Amino acid sequence: MSTGTVATFEDSLERLEVGWTHTSVDGLADVLNEVCDEPTVGVELPYDGVELPSWVNTDPTPADLRAANAGITAAGIGIADYGSVVVQGTPDGVEPVSLFADRHVAVLKESDIVPGMPEAFEWLGEEFRTGHSSAIIATGPSATADMGALVKGAHGPKDVHVVILDE
Amino acid sequence: MSKAREAKAAKIRQLMETEGDAVGTSTRGFNEGRYESVQTLDDYEGLKSEARAIKEDAIERLPELLDQLRETVEANGGTLYIADDDADANRYIREVCEDKDAERVVKSKSMTSEEIEVNHELEAADIDVVETDLGEWVLQVADDSPSHIVAPAIHKSREAIADLFNETFEPDEPLETAEELTMFAREQLGELIEDADVGMTGANFITADTGTMALVTSEGNARKTAVVPDTHVAVAGVEKIIPTVEDLQPFVELIGKSGTGQDITSYISLLTPPVESPTVDFDDPDTPLTETETDREFHLVLIDNGRMDMRDDDQLRETLYCIRCSACSNVCANFQHVGGHAFGGETYSGGIGTGWEAGVEGLDTAAEFNDLCTGCSRCTTACPVEIDIPWINTVVRDRVNRGEASEVDWLVEGLTPDEEPGGVSLQKRFFGNFETAAKVGSFFAPLSNWASQLSVSRDLMERFLGIDARRELPAFQRETLKDWFDARNSHVENPTRTAVLYPDVYTNHVQVERGKAAVRALEALGVDVVVPDVRSSGRAPLSQGMIATAEDHAHDVYAGLAEHIDDGRDIVVIEPSDLAMFQTEYEKFLPEKSFQRISEASYEVMEYVFGLLENGVDADALATTDSEEVAYHSHCQQRTLGLEGHTEAVLSRLGYDVVTSDVECCGMAGSFGYKSEYYELSVDVGSELQGQFQTDETKHRTVVASGTSCLEQLDSLLRRPSQHPIQLVAPQR
Ligand code: SF4
């Protein structure tokens, strides 16, 4: 992956008006603190040496989901051309945590950003054939124009923030 | 006007008044979004071809893919049910819900479930069904029906939705803004989803290799519908299967861009149910998700309902490639003005709606709105799977004609020189045989023109032929282009090329001046011109759905031009709709070789002039100017063929200052605007072009237009005259 791909990803996020932060493993807790309002729910991140801060509720109930201001999950990959993050459903609840809170905070490794859809689908094909049962290609917040003008936050999050982890 | 025509005209008029503005604003916005968004693709055309190839292959191998899908779905732990028709599907879905003792089903938007009307079945079984797509929900609250395949409530303005909500729900504070309305709906629906028992979705695509379905949404309601309740029923047509997960890629890139003009929709859900995500049981709000018993159930219901017969039908098969993106509706000028409540059947609407309705409901339903397709062809380049939508509509029109009860067969049978059965309506026959009328008209001109303008003639024409008395008729010229050409002595010294100027019906009999101008221009550029006696292209009968007659024309035209092509002559065509026949529709009528020869030898007249200038012919032989201001309207088929730019380039090179219209269509589209039931729609569509040529920047400009219909429409919309661009640039004598 080249820096060009990361720059394209960031440009795409900018265009979508999606906030993003570049940080190191050590800086992650501070960034999350800055971008999340409590109560925050989350699902543990599958990255070496990374743990969610203690103020993140990582074992939410339906009531917690409903009350959460932010939901933190990992993203499998990022797609540079579109500014999309791929969120994979897991038994510990990545899908509901990324869906019910007003803000979705997606954390991904810089090396997991791919240039475009062809690369993304190569990866997805592999994932689906080897057992993953669901993934959402999420691009920006949920939105609708059904009520006469574009409104963000129809059923899902009103706002998305992407955290890119350097290695 | 006949009763049926009167009723149709009244319905169209009413929809133009009540829904036209809302539909027009949104569809035009979507369409412009498409133009912008597809530009971000490196290889848009390549991606479209890839998408088409995947669909072609998938439909070809459908039985095999169905078997494979059954295996994967079952291996995943789900159930696949293939339903023959709507009743079969509905029964199955109801039984699934009854087995679960379901009290409420939440649904995300799906056209297939509209097609089978599953809500009726479930409601009759006392099961509450809630549409969670905001647009669909508005319609459910209003007891209204979708008017667009992607944006179902497109015909409702924000004000209308606010009134509806305020009346129905009586909120403490009246709702007003889009934000308020959306948040209100989000809240209401959120609660309804929380304690739903079954979630029902459609499926945009299903991959046979893994049993993964793709759902394309922006709101996130499909995600909630699929994940919150423990039982998921997905309903889709059998045609939605594609071979592999990788095959999803071109569609994911094309569908949002083609439909609403977004680069991509907010969510593309890829689900291989039963999914691993924990269910969210709001009845038990305090048990952590990870401790919730998750025993998910999944039913995939695939519906045939006529699709397998469509697959066997050489003409309707392409309809199955459709990915329901709505680009063909959004680009369609007529749809923009009336929406799917006029331009649609029981479920499907817009350009491809005719094909779907013919396949799943039958010809009668398709016939109700089939004539709203004028065959302008603007949708063919918009369609991400390259479906020739106008051709499907022509085929359906032909079948409708053949099935129609005859009106006055005894009168026309034997009198009209066509290949059609008795059922074709007199109106269609008249327009389809326009060549004959034109010959007679020219022969008796000016008497024929005078006679046809008499009010008694107009009354009769309106009564029997449905020709609107408000539309000015073309005036036939006594001296045809062919007569004029034969009578004059022209000789080009050392010609650079020899060209056949194709005398289309209009140029030969009505717009003779543009034909003369073309001859003068070509000769001035050193081209030796021949005007042969060749039959009309068949465009007129084709647009009436008279395919056999059109095919007959095609063979005659080819026979008439073949020797010229053999001699290396170029075929120069003035009328873009005829050129489009040679370059596209003739592929259906002629042997491959013949089609290739005629399509490769033929050029639009300004394209030809452009080519000559590019090859170094001296432009000074034409009428140059320094900065005469021109307003130019290209022609739909010309634009579809990608030839609009040649005229602009030639005019600019000769010194003209050109402004080009950017409306999709003039609204006239051949015989359409003459027909009394469509006259008002034609004028309404035309008003946009009229507006563009009456701004401060354009109102004094010389008007030029390439097509016959466009010229006629412009003549009736504007106070100043219009002409073909060749008339502007040709030397005066
Ligand atoms: S026919 Fe083509 S443009 Fe029309 S809805 Fe189907 S895929 Fe889209």
Side-chain angles (χ1 to χ4, degrees):
Chain A
M1 184 250 344
S2 68
T3 38
T5 306
V6 178
T8 308
F9 184 58
E10 291 167 351
D11 285 348
S12 301
L13 293 174
E14 204 99 331
R15 209 176 47 238
L16 294 164
E17 295 176 22
V18 166
W20 53 272
T21 321
H22 221 103
T23 189
S24 63
V25 168
D26 295 338
L28 180 64
D30 286 344
V31 171
L32 293 179
N33 202 358
E34 212 165 283
V35 298
C36 299
D37 282 338
E38 287 194 66
T40 294
V41 294
V43 176
E44 281 301 349
L45 304 174
Y47 310 128
D48 282 347
V50 175
E51 225 174 281
L52 287 177
S54 58
W55 49 268
V56 179
N57 174 357
T58 51
D59 194 18
T61 64
D64 297 335
L65 277 186
R66 199 190 273 152
N69 272 313
I72 304 171
T73 73
I77 54 171
I79 304 168
D81 282 350
Y82 289 89
S84 315
V85 291
V86 177
V87 180
Q88 289 170 288
T90 53
D92 49 1
V94 164
E95 168 69 341
V97 165
S98 67
L99 181 61
F100 279 86
D102 278 351
R103 162 172 275 204
H104 174 215
V105 179
V107 184
L108 81 168
K109 289 196 297 179
E110 191 185 77
S111 59
D112 288 337
I113 301 170
V114 301
M117 280 300 164
E119 296 81 5
F121 271 91
E122 248 168 61
W123 182 85
L124 283 162
E126 223 16 65
E127 290 288 299
F128 278 104
R129 276 187 293 271
T130 52
H132 262 284
S133 69
S134 72
I136 313 294
I137 303 174
T139 313
S142 114
T144 186
D146 282 349
M147 300 295 165
L150 186 72
V151 178
K152 290 179 180 173
H155 284 270
K158 296 175 182 166
D159 182 30
V160 178
H161 192 94
V162 176
V163 182
I164 305 166
L165 276 185
D166 306 326
E167 283 142 283
Chain B
M1 225 190 281
S2 79
K3 279 229 163 61
R5 285 195 183 108
E6 187 87 65
K8 179 152 237 171
K11 181 177 178 191
I12 289 174
R13 192 181 315 122
Q14 189 237 335
L15 287 172
M16 284 193 304
E17 278 163 18
T18 54
E19 302 185 351
D21 285 349
V23 172
T25 309
S26 297
T27 47
R28 276 191 286 276
F30 292 163
N31 192 46
E32 280 153 23
R34 172 172 60 85
Y35 285 124
E36 271 174 38
S37 182
V38 296
Q39 282 179 358
T40 63
L41 290 169
D42 291 339
D43 183 15
Y44 176 42
E45 294 303 322
L47 208 59
K48 289 199 287 186
S49 303
E50 206 185 310
R52 181 180 172 94
I54 293 168
K55 273 293 192 181
E56 261 180 32
D57 168 59
I59 297 300
E60 172 76 31
R61 293 198 286 132
L62 188 53
E64 174 197 324
L65 294 178
L66 270 170
D67 288 343
Q68 190 189 354
L69 181 66
R70 180 182 296 283
E71 273 171 39
T72 48
V73 168
E74 286 172 3
N76 293 337
T79 316
L80 171 64
Y81 184 74
I82 298 177
D84 289 338
D85 55 18
D86 45 352
D88 189 12
N90 286 334
R91 179 195 48 77
Y92 182 86
I93 296 165
R94 175 175 46 75
E95 285 173 7
V96 169
C97 296
E98 284 170 346
D99 279 352
K100 290 267 127 192
D101 291 325
E103 285 170 19
R104 177 178 309 128
V105 174
V106 282
K107 250 182 91 203
S108 82
K109 184 178 156 16
S110 130
M111 286 310 287
T112 317
S113 70
E114 294 281 337
E115 176 187 324
I116 61 173
E117 300 189 327
V118 67
N119 293 18
H120 290 177
E121 174 92 8
L122 296 177
E123 278 155 8
D126 270 339
I127 300 167
D128 188 19
V129 187
V130 178
E131 297 289 349
T132 61
D133 172 86
L134 265 46
E136 286 284 350
W137 188 59
V138 166
L139 298 182
Q140 195 178 26
V141 174
D143 198 17
D144 195 352
S145 61
S147 59
H148 184 271
I149 56 176
V150 168
I154 202 174
H155 58 288
K156 290 214 177 292
S157 64
R158 179 181 55 78
E159 292 79 7
I161 299 172
D163 289 347
L164 173 73
F165 282 10
N166 291 330
E167 263 169 48
T168 314
F169 302 105
E170 301 182 346
D172 299 338
E173 282 289 311
L175 303 163
E176 200 186 312
T177 64
E179 174 89 24
E180 286 165 4
L181 293 165
T182 303
M183 290 309 140
F184 176 79
R186 171 187 167 115
E187 213 131 288
Q188 298 272 319
L189 288 169
E191 282 172 25
L192 294 167
I193 295 172
E194 284 182 5
D195 54 6
D197 305 294
V198 174
M200 196 190 300
T201 68
N204 293 79
F205 307 93
I206 309 161
T207 71
D209 61 342
T210 58
T212 304
M213 52 193 257
L215 290 169
V216 179
T217 74
S218 273
E219 297 182 356
N221 58 317
R223 293 177 67 185
K224 285 190 171 163
T225 304
V227 134
V228 174
D230 64 3
T231 303
H232 178 187
V233 180
V235 192
V238 286
E239 82 283 4
K240 298 282 180 72
I241 308 178
I242 57 174
T244 69
V245 174
E246 282 82 351
D247 290 329
L248 285 165
Q249 178 250 325
F251 300 107
V252 165
E253 298 209 54
L254 287 167
I255 195 165
K257 294 185 181 71
S258 305
T260 49
Q262 295 161 277
D263 285 343
I264 184 170
T265 59
S266 303
Y267 302 122
I268 310 278
S269 296
L270 305 168
L271 310 174
T272 317
V275 295
E276 292 165 299
S277 287
T279 53
V280 192
D281 186 358
F282 286 94
D283 288 340
D284 180 7
D286 300 320
T287 304
L289 298 183
T290 46
E291 287 167 31
T292 316
E293 276 295 307
T294 292
D295 186 14
R296 287 187 178 274
E297 198 176 305
F298 173 63
H299 299 264
L300 176 59
V301 182
L302 295 183
I303 292 165
D304 176 347
N305 211 25
R307 287 165 175 78
M308 284 306 196
D309 289 339
M310 289 165 83
R311 181 174 171 268
D312 290 335
D313 183 324
D314 283 343
Q315 309 298 342
L316 285 188
R317 183 179 308 124
E318 277 200 40
T319 311
L320 298 173
Y321 306 163
C322 169
I323 60 169
R324 320 262 177 95
C325 71
S326 82
C328 55
S329 301
N330 301 336
V331 72
C332 174
N334 280 349
F335 189 94
Q336 290 176 358
H337 286 252
V338 296
H341 287 158
F343 203 150
E346 291 183 17
T347 309
Y348 300 100
S349 58
I352 198 65
T354 286
W356 279 117
E357 292 287 334
V360 304
E361 298 286 350
L363 279 184
D364 286 356
T365 310
E368 285 167 24
F369 64 101
N370 170 273
D371 280 347
L372 278 159
C373 170
T374 61
C376 80
S377 81
R378 294 295 297 149
C379 52
T380 54
T381 45
C383 176
V385 279
E386 303 178 333
I387 298 177
D388 189 348
I389 300 158
W391 175 255
I392 292 177
N393 289 335
T394 305
V395 167
V396 171
R397 193 166 300 166
D398 184 87
R399 293 181 187 177
V400 170
N401 287 345
R402 284 162 197 274
E404 224 169 51
S406 57
E407 277 181 16
V408 264
D409 290 349
W410 51 272
L411 190 68
V412 272
E413 207 56 35
L415 284 179
T416 47
D418 60 40
E419 307 294 313
E420 304 303 311
V424 183
S425 79
L426 199 48
Q427 185 192 53
K428 288 191 169 142
R429 277 217 163 157
F430 173 77
F431 286 111
N433 290 304
F434 187 71
E435 181 175 36
T436 309
K439 277 189 191 145
V440 177
S442 281
F443 189 77
F444 289 109
L447 188 67
S448 55
N449 296 324
W450 171 75
S452 68
Q453 300 301 348
L454 293 178
S455 67
V456 50
S457 323
R458 295 307 307 250
D459 275 2
L460 287 171
M461 279 193 264
E462 180 148 321
R463 185 123 45 95
F464 287 107
L465 301 173
I467 297 175
D468 201 283
R470 289 165 288 186
R471 175 67 77 184
E472 206 172 310
L473 296 175
F476 297 111
Q477 304 298 313
R478 180 65 185 244
E479 186 185 45
T480 64
L481 174 67
K482 174 84 179 125
D483 296 341
W484 170 83
F485 185 82
D486 289 347
R488 82 199 254 283
N489 261 330
S490 72
H491 181 65
V492 177
E493 293 284 340
N494 304 320
T496 45
R497 303 184 75 97
T498 311
V500 168
L501 185 72
Y502 175 69
D504 66 272
V505 189
Y506 261 92
T507 305
N508 200 27
H509 298 276
V510 182
Q511 306 246 352
V512 178
E513 287 310 316
R514 71 179 187 182
K516 294 180 186 172
V519 173
R520 287 198 305 268
L522 295 179
E523 288 182 347
L525 295 171
V527 177
D528 193 18
V529 181
V530 184
V531 179
D533 201 2
V534 194
R535 204 175 175 191
S536 69
S537 73
R539 168 64 67 194
L542 191 79
S543 62
Q544 306 305 320
M546 296 159 62
I547 293 179
T549 308
E551 179 160 5
D552 199 52
H553 281 243
H555 288 290
D556 287 352
V557 168
Y558 183 69
L561 292 177
E563 54 171 320
H564 296 287
I565 300 173
D566 288 342
D567 288 349
R569 293 177 179 158
D570 306 311
I571 314 291
V572 177
V573 185
I574 299 176
E575 174 55 39
S577 62
D578 286 326
L579 180 72
M581 284 295 278
F582 295 176
Q583 299 199 339
T584 52
E585 280 92 351
Y586 274 17
E587 189 173 7
K588 311 262 200 262
F589 300 142
L590 299 178
E592 202 185 317
K593 263 242 167 77
S594 315
F595 166 69
Q596 253 163 22
R597 275 161 45 88
I598 191 167
S599 77
E600 276 162 23
S602 54
Y603 301 88
E604 192 264 343
V605 62
M606 295 301 277
E607 175 195 18
Y608 195 69
V609 169
F610 174 81
L612 292 168
L613 298 183
E614 281 291 285
N615 282 300
V617 174
D618 188 2
D620 286 341
L622 298 177
T624 54
T625 152
D626 62 288
S627 77
E628 178 177 347
E629 295 187 326
V630 171
Y632 164 55
H633 175 68
S634 182
H635 173 275
C636 343
Q637 270 133 355
Q638 187 182 14
R639 290 170 71 193
T640 300
L641 291 172
L643 299 174
E644 158 186 48
H646 296 102
T647 304
E648 287 168 343
V650 169
L651 291 177
S652 301
R653 187 175 302 191
L654 297 181
Y656 294 87
D657 175 82
V658 188
V659 168
T660 305
S661 70
D662 64 6
V663 293
E664 283 309 328
C665 173
C666 72
M668 175 70 175
S671 57
F672 189 77
Y674 285 101
K675 297 183 176 175
S676 54
E677 61 272 47
Y678 304 119
Y679 170 78
E680 286 163 69
L681 174 56
S682 143
V683 172
D684 203 43
V685 173
S687 67
E688 276 167 55
L689 178 54
Q690 181 184 31
Q692 288 198 349
F693 283 179
Q694 278 179 340
T695 63
D696 283 345
E697 199 208 347
T698 54
K699 66 181 179 219
H700 56 272
R701 287 175 175 256
T702 307
V703 179
V704 294
S706 312
T708 304
S709 323
C710 324
L711 285 165
E712 285 180 350
Q713 180 76 305
L714 280 164
D715 272 341
S716 63
L717 294 173
L718 299 174
R719 292 234 177 84
R720 56 201 201 278
S722 48
Q723 58 189 317
H724 190 282
I726 197 73
Q727 286 170 264
L728 198 64
V729 306
Q732 288 319 302
R733 44 188 60 256

